[in-house]
């Protein structure tokens, strides 16, 4: 809530950026389908958007410091203490608009396009006769929603702190597809394997080698810091699918590591390099 956003990977963490606006109170975080980071700021009554590569922060929707409940385009829309965010298909977000006692749908351009109707709902209080339905005598209106989640059937769930209840609203929203990139990365050198089915990527700032499976367009981490990867800038795959990684390091500790196709370390080919930038391997395995 001091404005910092951290990334956690393989047991380590680092601060990606910090929102420095006065009164900042970050409450929710979600990714759009293009990897852009969305952050709800209850202190400023807005949702920020952050470029995943440059970490440049811009306003997505709302007016900083001005609460309201206006629907419409990003230049007119207003929120009141937005809390948690959830991603939906179609590059949409569902936001818990805490101060307005409602859930809203936010599109990629920042327009607030819909308010989810809580009259068509089921509510759980932790009672033996849960859930209460729209026709039940114990159904209460939505008050102060905090958490939000989207079910596989399109139902939107929220948690409400005043009456300590969980609500499910039936909606036409669809659950999102998995993000093909597990995190924004900084691609440097790339290399195809012998079958041209896997593309290996030297991911500089994440201290990793990613592999893009071209058959299904899914990306996963092949090597990380636990394998000795430190600011990799180039990668080469030989005819037997051994993977060579050039670590640039931080100055004077660059290295060349060799792995088999399963990620097992085969050897260290060079150490003590001063900020190397490119790598090539000939047909005899010379680097």
């Amino acid at each position: 809530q001091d404005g910092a956003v951290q990334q956690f990977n393989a047991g380590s963490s680092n601060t990606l950026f910090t929102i420095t606006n006065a009164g900042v109170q970050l409450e929710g975080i979600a990714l759009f389908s293009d990897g852009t980071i969305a952050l709800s700021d209850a202190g400023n009554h807005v949702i920020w958007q952050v470029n995943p590569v440059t970490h440049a922060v811009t306003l997505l929707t709302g007016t900083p410091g001005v609460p309201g409940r206006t629907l419409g385009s990003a230049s007119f829309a207003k929120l009141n203490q937005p809390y948690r965010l959830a991603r939906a298909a179609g590059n949409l977000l569902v936001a818990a608009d805490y101060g307005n006692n409602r859930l809203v749908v936010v599109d990629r351009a920042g327009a607030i396009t819909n308010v989810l109707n809580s009259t068509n709902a089921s509510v759980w209080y932790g009672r033996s006769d849960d859930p209460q339905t729209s026709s039940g005598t114990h159904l209460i209106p939505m008050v102060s929603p905090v958490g939000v989640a989207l079910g596989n059937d399109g139902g939107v769930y929220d948690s409400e702190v005043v009456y300590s209840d969980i609500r499910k609203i039936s909606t036409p929203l669809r659950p999102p597809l998995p993000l093909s990139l597990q995190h924004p990365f900084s691609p440097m050198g790339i290399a195809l394997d012998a079958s041209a089915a896997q593309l290996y990527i030297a991911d500089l700032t994440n201290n990793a080698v990613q592999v893009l499976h071209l058959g299904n367009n899914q990306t996963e981490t092949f090597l990380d810091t636990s394998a000795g990867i430190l600011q990799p800038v180039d990668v080469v795959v030989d005819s037997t699918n051994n993977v060579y990684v050039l670590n640039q390091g931080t100055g004077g500790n660059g290295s060349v590591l060799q792995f088999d196709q399963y990620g097992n370390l085969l050897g260290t080919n060079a150490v003590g390099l001063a900020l190397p930038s490119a790598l090539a391997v000939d047909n005899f395995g010379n680097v």
Side-chain angles (χ1 to χ4, degrees):
Q1 291 191 0
D2 61 357
V5 174
Q6 291 183 287
Q7 180 185 54
F8 296 83
N9 185 36
S12 61
S13 68
N14 64 293
T15 299
L16 294 182
F17 52 87
T18 301
I19 306 292
T20 58
N21 292 64
V24 64
Q25 182 184 334
L26 300 184
E27 291 287 353
I29 185 168
L31 296 179
F32 281 108
S33 298
D34 61 2
T36 298
I37 305 165
L39 302 168
S40 58
D41 182 352
N44 285 294
H45 311 290
V46 299
I47 299 176
W48 305 105
Q49 60 181 347
V50 185
N51 184 296
V53 177
T54 66
H55 299 160
V57 179
T58 55
L59 182 66
L60 176 66
T61 193
T63 301
V66 181
R69 56 183 300 112
T70 310
L71 303 180
S73 65
S75 58
F76 295 100
K78 287 185 174 61
L79 300 163
N80 189 346
Q81 300 179 71
Y83 270 61
R84 308 294 186 264
L85 304 172
R87 191 170 67 97
N91 234 4
L92 299 174
L93 297 178
V94 180
D97 194 7
Y98 177 90
N100 286 321
N101 302 319
R102 66 183 186 176
L103 302 180
V104 296
V105 179
V106 182
D107 69 17
R108 184 63 188 86
I112 298 180
T113 59
N114 191 22
V115 176
L116 301 182
N117 187 349
S118 64
T119 60
N120 183 19
S122 300
V123 178
W124 289 261
Y125 302 97
R127 297 161 45 118
S128 60
D129 58 348
D130 283 343
Q132 306 298 317
T133 62
S134 299
S135 60
T137 59
H138 300 291
L139 193 69
I140 57 174
M142 181 183 295
V143 179
S144 302
V146 174
V148 60
L150 189 69
N152 288 332
D153 61 354
V156 175
Y157 297 79
D158 80 295
S159 59
E160 302 166 19
V161 296
V162 173
Y163 295 111
S164 302
D165 61 288
I166 302 292
R167 186 182 309 267
K168 177 186 179 183
I169 304 171
S170 298
T171 77
L173 294 173
R174 294 177 290 115
L177 296 172
L179 290 172
S180 59
L181 297 180
Q182 61 181 26
H183 50 251
F185 58 4
S186 301
M188 297 292 285
I190 58 175
L192 285 166
D193 71 355
S195 68
Q198 324 292 338
L199 181 70
Y200 292 86
I201 305 162
D203 184 358
L204 176 67
T205 60
N206 287 302
N207 294 316
V209 174
Q210 316 289 352
V211 57
L212 170 59
H213 301 281
L214 298 174
N216 59 13
N217 295 318
Q218 298 298 302
T219 304
E220 65 176 345
T221 300
F222 177 64
L223 301 167
D224 58 20
T225 54
S226 65
I229 305 303
L230 179 61
Q231 297 194 18
V233 290
D234 209 355
V235 61
V236 170
V237 182
D238 67 18
S239 59
T240 60
N241 283 330
N242 291 325
V243 179
Y244 298 77
V245 180
L246 177 63
N247 285 320
Q248 188 172 80
T250 57
N253 62 343
S255 63
V256 178
L257 305 180
Q258 182 182 354
F259 301 86
D260 65 19
Q261 61 184 313
Y262 306 108
N264 299 308
L265 180 65
L266 298 179
T268 300
N269 298 67
V271 295
L273 304 178
L275 298 176
S277 60
L279 175 70
V281 178
D282 68 14
N283 291 334
F284 301 98
N286 298 312
V287 178

